[in-house]
């Protein structure tokens, strides 16, 4: 009987283990199916020399099925051959062979895909796990912010306060105006690059919870509703600076959750120190420390007064009486010293009840408050700090500052933001309409001019024929300008078409150089290591090469040398165009690819152009998944570089 039972138990145990394994696999599949990312598991395929030549899918979550279909058991290269020219295949092989995980951002424009992706690759047995996430919208948002930053800078530089835009909920700074945070001795770029986990170390430990609560409130904050907090932050001299921070929701994501916040910050250290000094004198006032109190009381720039609350029979606050005022009170309100001893409603008959309620609340609770409020009688905005005087529940001390100009600046800034959006939309629509309307007559003028030039040559009138030739050159410039404006509008609207095909880049370079060489006495030299095969839009790549070569011709002396050279890397080719021209100042190197930017030193602003060619070249290269940059020494020349992915 015992032997039968033991045998029975032995037979059951493997079944139990098998069921447990199946449940574990089901649990794993359920977990990855609920991931917001695309998770795929691959097994490597090796040849007889043990070299990895392909991968096959062995597991896929729902996101992967939605993207690729049912591919379990399928070859990666048969389904997604673009992983080779994009460099993804090499990264996968490296992870399997070395065991080192890889995280990277990848621009992928093969098969049905077109956009930026974040990928994480981790080795698993003789294969790997790939986690992917589409970050195209994030990349476009970053580009949009860069284009808006110049306009925002020009407005915020006029404001005395610090203006910033912060990513939410990561709290990374996306923008800050030029004079920002000089209060604590940091440069703008230094603060912008500092992660929030490092910035938080600068905050006073006692203020951390208030800051966290301030950020939490944005989850429920309505548009244009204001959020406030005060906190202390340590400067470079290890001294505490007191900041007043007000914020609004600046942008929301597709789920209507806050994604960006607009902040306006003030350094209120001096004001707080004055408040602290005045309030510390309250006990001394009771002890008749009159001289010191009066000196400070009369010398501060902020208005200061003491109120005594007036309540009815049911102990409800209905008014207040002015007990003391300083000279700044008169300067900021226009009210005289004769208000002392009077009820507020005697000289402010239409006083807003919110003032009475605030003063009474502080008088009863003893908890100081800071408010910003509008007073109809003086038609001014005030930033007011209210604290209780003594241990009773009737008197409050009020320290205030006139912030009307700041409020007006904020209103103008907000109006400008709305106007800017409308103007940008109107500008794009106008450029499209105007450019299309200009193209037809310009084309006709070009045709007529060429006919007239041919006839003049036929009858031997060479002098007038030369003049017509110059007219044709100007018509060509006008045509390029119109096309550039149309291209910019397409880029801004995200509608610039890119038609990818396999191209011989070396042939395109030779053709473009021959075309431009006919129009200039510069010597253009081409150095190519080997035939260059890339995938791209032929017309757009020709446009990039033409724009860069024309730029070198324009800004370098006649008969000087321009060198075009290729340098083939593992996954891409780098094209360089070097000239012996005037060079670009170091301070302008990071601006040359900005829209409408032109270098103005060395009389370079006298050359024709609108600053569009390099901007368009940069956008086209980025659309192809490449990079573009410039190196230059002023007075010696410049070298422009751009890269394009190779076809292996």
């Amino acid at each position: 009987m015992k032997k039968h039972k033991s045998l029975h138990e032995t037979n059951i145990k493997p079944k139990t283990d098998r069921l447990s394994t199946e449940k574990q696999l089901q649990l794993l599949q359920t977990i990855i199916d609920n991931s917001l990312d695309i998770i795929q598991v691959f097994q490597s395929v090796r040849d007889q020399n043990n070299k990895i030549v392909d991968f096959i899918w062995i597991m896929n979550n729902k996101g992967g099925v939605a993207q690729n279909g049912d591919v379990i058991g399928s070859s990666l290269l048969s389904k997604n051959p673009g992983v080779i020219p994009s460099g993804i295949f090499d990264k996968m092989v490296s992870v399997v062979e070395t065991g080192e995980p890889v995280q990277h951002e990848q621009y992928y424009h093969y098969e049905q895909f077109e956009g930026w992706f974040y990928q994480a690759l981790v080795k698993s047995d003789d294969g790997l796990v790939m986690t992917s996430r589409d970050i195209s919208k994030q990349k476009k948002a970053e580009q949009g912010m860069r284009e808006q930053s110049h306009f925002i800078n020009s407005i915020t530089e006029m404001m005395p306060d610090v203006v910033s835009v912060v990513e939410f909920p990561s709290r990374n700074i996306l923008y800050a105006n030029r004079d920002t945070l000089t209060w604590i001795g940091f440069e703008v770029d230094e603060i912008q690059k500092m992660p929030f986990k490092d910035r938080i170390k600068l905050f006073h430990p006692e203020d951390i919870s208030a800051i966290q609560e301030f950020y939490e409130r944005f989850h429920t904050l309505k548009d244009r509703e204001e959020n406030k907090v005060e906190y202390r932050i340590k400067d470079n001299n290890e001294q505490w600076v007191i900041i007043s921070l007000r914020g609004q929701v600046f942008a929301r994501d597709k789920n209507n959750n806050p994604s960006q916040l607009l902040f306006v910050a003030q350094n209120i250290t001096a004001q707080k120190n004055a408040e602290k000094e005045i309030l510390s004198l309250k006990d001394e006032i009771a002890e008749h420390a009159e001289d010191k109190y009066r000196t400070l009381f009369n010398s501060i720039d902020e208005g200061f007064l003491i109120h005594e609350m007036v309540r009815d029979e049911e102990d409800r606050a209905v008014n207040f009486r002015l007990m003391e005022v300083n000279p700044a009170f008169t300067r900021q309100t226009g009210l005289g010293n004769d208000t002392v001893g009077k009820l507020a409603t005697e000289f402010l008959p239409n006083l807003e009840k919110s003032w009475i309620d605030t003063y009474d609340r502080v008088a009863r609770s003893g908890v100081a408050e800071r408010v910003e409020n509008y007073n109809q009688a003086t038609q001014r905005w005030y930033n007011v700090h209210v604290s209780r005087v003594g241990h009773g529940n009737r008197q409050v001390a009020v320290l205030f500052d006139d912030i009307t100009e700041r409020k007006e600046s904020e209103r103008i800034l907000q109006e400008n933001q709305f106007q800017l959006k409308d103007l940008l939309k109107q500008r794009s629509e106008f450029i499209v309409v105007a450019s299309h309307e200009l193209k037809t007559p310009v084309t006709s003028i070009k045709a007529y001019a060429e006919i007239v030039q041919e006839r003049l040559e036929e009858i031997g009138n060479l002098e007038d024929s030369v003049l017509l030739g110059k007219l044709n050159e100007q018509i060509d410039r006008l045509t390029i300008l119109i096309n550039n404006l149309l291209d910019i509008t397409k880029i801004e609207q995200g509608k610039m078409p890119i038609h990818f095909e396999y191209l011989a880049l070396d042939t395109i370079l030779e053709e473009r150089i021959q075309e431009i060489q006919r129009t200039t006495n510069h010597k253009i030299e081409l150095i190519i290591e080997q035939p260059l095969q890339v995938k791209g839009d032929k017309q757009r790549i020709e446009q990039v090469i033409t724009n860069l070569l024309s730029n070198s011709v324009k800004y370098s002396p006649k008969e000087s040398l321009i060198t075009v050279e290729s340098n083939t890397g593992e996954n891409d080719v780098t094209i360089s165009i070097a000239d012996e021209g005037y060079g670009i100042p170091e301070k302008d190197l990071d601006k040359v690819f900005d829209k409408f930017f032109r270098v103005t030193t060395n009389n370079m602003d006298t050359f024709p152009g609108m600053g569009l060619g390099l901007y368009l070249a940069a956008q086209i290269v980025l659309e192809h998944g490449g990079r573009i940059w410039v190196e230059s020494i002023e007075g010696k020349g410049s070298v422009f570089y751009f890269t394009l992915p190779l076809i292996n």
Side-chain angles (χ1 to χ4, degrees):
M1 188 68 179
K2 287 183 180 180
K3 182 178 181 181
H4 177 72
K5 184 176 181 181
S6 174
L7 180 61
H8 180 65
E9 290 174 348
T10 302
N11 291 336
I12 289 175
K13 187 174 181 181
K15 182 178 181 181
T16 303
D17 289 344
R18 187 180 74 252
L19 289 174
S20 175
T21 302
E22 290 175 356
K23 288 181 179 179
Q24 290 177 10
L25 290 174
Q26 290 174 358
L27 177 60
L28 174 61
Q29 187 68 49
T30 301
I31 291 173
I32 66 172
D33 281 344
N34 283 279
S35 172
L36 297 178
D37 296 330
I38 295 172
I39 301 176
Q40 305 168 89
V41 183
F42 294 93
Q43 177 69 37
S44 62
V45 177
R46 298 179 181 269
D47 61 12
Q48 59 185 2
N49 296 320
N50 202 35
K51 179 182 178 181
I52 296 177
V53 295
D54 200 350
F55 290 89
I56 59 171
W57 274 276
I58 60 173
M59 184 174 288
N60 221 350
N61 71 345
K62 287 184 178 179
V65 174
Q67 174 182 273
N68 301 305
D70 184 8
V71 293
I72 300 302
S74 298
S75 159
L76 173 63
L77 295 185
S78 66
K79 295 289 186 181
N80 298 128
V83 297
I84 291 182
S86 67
I88 295 176
F89 185 83
D90 290 341
K91 291 184 177 68
M92 295 173 68
V93 171
S94 175
V95 169
V96 175
E97 298 291 13
T98 67
E100 293 292 328
V102 170
Q103 298 183 41
H104 66 109
E105 292 182 355
Q106 176 77 40
Y107 179 78
Y108 195 83
H109 53 84
Y110 303 92
E111 296 88 44
Q112 73 271 32
F113 306 104
E114 179 71 33
W116 282 89
F117 296 88
Y118 165 81
Q119 288 186 333
L121 308 176
V122 180
K123 177 180 173 66
S124 175
D125 294 331
D126 193 31
L128 75 157
V129 179
M130 175 188 291
T131 303
S132 305
R133 184 184 311 138
D134 190 337
I135 59 172
S136 299
K137 291 183 178 179
Q138 174 186 332
K139 287 291 185 180
K140 288 183 178 179
E142 291 171 357
Q143 178 66 19
M145 284 299 299
R146 284 192 293 272
E147 292 179 354
Q148 293 175 10
S149 64
H150 176 72
F151 175 79
I152 295 175
N153 271 334
S154 63
I155 295 176
T156 55
E157 280 176 357
M158 298 184 296
M159 297 183 64
D161 302 328
V162 170
V163 179
S164 60
V165 177
V166 175
E167 189 177 48
F168 188 75
S170 70
R171 309 181 191 177
N172 292 326
I173 296 177
L174 301 177
Y175 165 80
N177 60 352
R178 291 184 179 175
D179 295 328
T180 185
L181 297 180
T182 53
W183 310 319
I184 59 174
F186 289 99
E187 296 294 332
V188 175
D189 292 342
E190 191 175 1
I191 288 294
Q192 286 180 315
K193 294 176 182 178
M194 187 181 297
F196 182 78
K197 63 181 179 62
D198 293 333
R199 295 202 310 274
I200 200 70
K201 297 176 182 177
L202 300 174
F203 299 145
H204 196 290
E206 295 176 2
D207 297 337
I208 298 298
S209 60
I211 295 171
Q212 300 291 5
E213 291 171 4
F214 169 79
Y215 278 99
E216 284 298 322
R217 287 195 292 271
F218 281 104
H219 289 290
T220 57
L221 208 65
K222 298 178 181 177
D223 289 343
R224 305 182 73 175
E225 188 176 354
E226 194 171 79
N227 194 6
K228 304 176 186 177
V229 70
E230 289 182 8
Y231 60 89
R232 290 159 290 180
I233 189 168
K234 189 178 296 183
D235 65 13
N236 278 346
N237 297 319
E238 299 295 310
Q239 299 296 315
W240 292 112
V241 176
I242 306 173
I243 305 297
S244 172
L245 183 64
R246 293 171 296 109
Q248 293 183 1
V249 175
F250 183 69
R252 295 182 182 274
D253 60 22
K254 63 181 180 180
N255 298 319
N256 204 37
N257 295 318
S259 60
Q260 293 177 10
L261 308 177
L262 175 64
F263 289 153
V264 178
Q266 287 180 287
N267 182 354
I268 60 171
T269 307
Q271 180 179 333
K272 278 289 188 179
N273 289 339
E275 292 172 8
K276 184 178 179 180
E277 184 70 10
I278 290 174
L279 297 177
S280 69
L281 292 175
K282 289 189 295 184
D283 292 336
E284 294 184 39
I285 292 172
E287 298 172 2
H288 308 288
E290 190 69 18
D291 290 341
K292 183 177 180 181
Y293 166 71
R294 285 297 170 190
T295 300
L296 183 61
F297 185 75
N298 293 326
S299 64
I300 61 174
D301 293 330
E302 290 81 8
F304 183 76
L305 57 155
I306 295 178
H307 294 329
E308 184 171 87
M309 302 308 303
V310 177
R311 302 188 178 106
D312 61 15
E313 295 178 354
E314 298 180 359
D315 201 32
R316 292 176 300 190
V318 294
N319 212 331
F320 58 85
R321 190 182 306 278
L322 271 69
M323 308 302 293
E324 285 190 86
V325 299
N326 72 342
F329 167 83
T330 300
R331 291 196 301 270
Q332 296 204 33
T333 64
L335 302 173
N337 289 330
D338 57 352
T339 56
V340 175
K342 292 183 179 180
L343 294 173
T345 52
E346 293 182 46
F347 53 88
L348 297 172
N350 297 318
L351 179 67
E352 296 84 357
K353 190 174 183 301
S354 60
W355 294 102
I356 298 175
D357 292 341
T358 299
Y359 298 152
D360 187 58
R361 186 168 56 251
V362 173
R364 292 180 186 275
S365 68
V367 179
E369 293 187 21
R370 179 179 295 278
V371 296
E372 289 183 0
N373 224 334
Y374 182 76
N375 180 248
Q376 184 63 41
T378 59
Q379 296 186 345
R380 310 293 290 176
W381 278 91
Y382 297 101
N383 183 6
V384 181
H385 183 274
V386 188
S387 59
R388 187 168 68 186
V389 176
H391 300 290
N393 66 353
R394 287 191 176 273
Q395 287 195 350
V396 292
V398 179
L399 187 71
F400 68 91
D401 196 21
D402 188 336
I403 59 170
T404 306
E405 291 185 4
R406 193 198 79 202
K407 283 290 187 179
E408 180 64 15
S409 296
E410 292 174 359
R411 183 188 65 79
I412 292 173
L413 175 61
Q414 194 169 59
E415 287 181 356
N416 286 338
Q417 288 174 343
F418 290 121
Q419 291 175 6
L420 173 63
K421 292 180 181 178
D422 291 337
L423 288 173
L424 290 176
K425 182 179 178 182
Q426 293 174 20
R427 186 202 65 184
S428 296
E429 293 173 350
F430 170 77
I431 289 175
V432 172
V433 173
S435 299
H436 280 294
E437 290 297 323
L438 284 170
K439 285 190 77 172
T440 300
V442 168
T443 302
S444 299
I445 293 171
K446 171 72 173 175
Y448 291 140
E450 289 178 347
I451 292 171
V452 173
Q453 185 179 8
E454 290 176 1
R455 291 182 178 179
L456 288 172
E457 291 175 352
E458 289 174 359
I459 64 176
N461 190 343
L462 299 180
E463 182 177 351
D464 290 339
S465 174
V466 170
L467 292 176
L468 262 295
K470 293 181 178 180
L471 173 61
N472 275 326
E473 291 177 1
Q474 297 304 314
I475 293 172
D476 290 339
R477 285 187 57 206
L478 181 58
T479 301
I480 292 172
L481 174 59
I482 293 171
N483 290 333
N484 284 346
L485 290 173
L486 281 172
D487 284 342
I488 286 176
T489 304
K490 291 174 183 177
I491 290 170
E492 290 176 343
Q493 297 175 347
K495 297 179 180 179
M496 185 174 73
I498 300 293
H499 304 291
F500 286 97
E501 57 181 319
Y502 293 101
L503 304 172
L505 183 58
D506 50 318
T507 302
I508 294 175
L509 286 167
E510 291 172 357
E511 292 173 351
R512 289 294 85 206
I513 290 173
Q514 290 173 4
E515 180 71 24
I516 292 176
Q517 185 69 78
R518 286 196 290 267
T519 65
T520 180
N521 56 7
H522 288 73
K523 181 182 179 182
I524 305 177
E525 181 179 350
L526 175 62
I527 303 173
I528 299 179
E529 294 181 346
Q530 61 189 55
L532 307 173
Q533 296 294 318
V534 298
K535 189 175 182 182
D537 187 312
K538 184 175 185 292
Q539 180 182 353
R540 294 300 181 185
I541 292 177
E542 287 177 343
Q543 187 176 357
V544 171
I545 298 168
T546 299
N547 286 357
L548 294 178
L549 281 173
S550 299
N551 190 74
S552 293
V553 168
K554 184 188 300 184
Y555 295 113
S556 61
K558 294 180 180 179
E559 300 182 359
S560 61
L561 176 64
I562 297 173
T563 304
V564 182
E565 189 171 356
S566 70
N567 186 4
T568 305
E570 184 177 355
N571 298 312
D572 57 21
V573 59
T574 301
I575 303 299
S576 64
I577 299 177
D579 61 52
E580 299 173 344
Y582 306 108
I584 303 168
E586 186 176 356
K587 64 182 179 63
D588 292 333
L589 287 176
D590 60 344
K591 305 174 187 175
V592 294
F593 298 107
D594 290 352
K595 185 166 46 180
F596 301 119
F597 178 79
R598 300 189 66 212
V599 178
T600 57
T601 57
N602 295 325
N603 296 320
M604 291 175 71
D605 55 340
T606 62
F607 291 93
M610 291 184 63
L612 298 178
L614 294 181
Y615 169 77
L616 287 172
Q619 297 303 309
I620 293 170
V621 170
L622 291 175
E623 287 291 330
H624 282 75
R627 297 180 297 117
I628 188 167
W629 69 97
V630 61
E631 296 174 357
S632 183
I633 299 176
E634 195 169 4
K636 293 187 177 181
S638 303
V639 184
F640 285 83
Y641 301 87
F642 71 92
T643 68
L644 292 173
L646 281 172
I647 298 175
N648 293 333

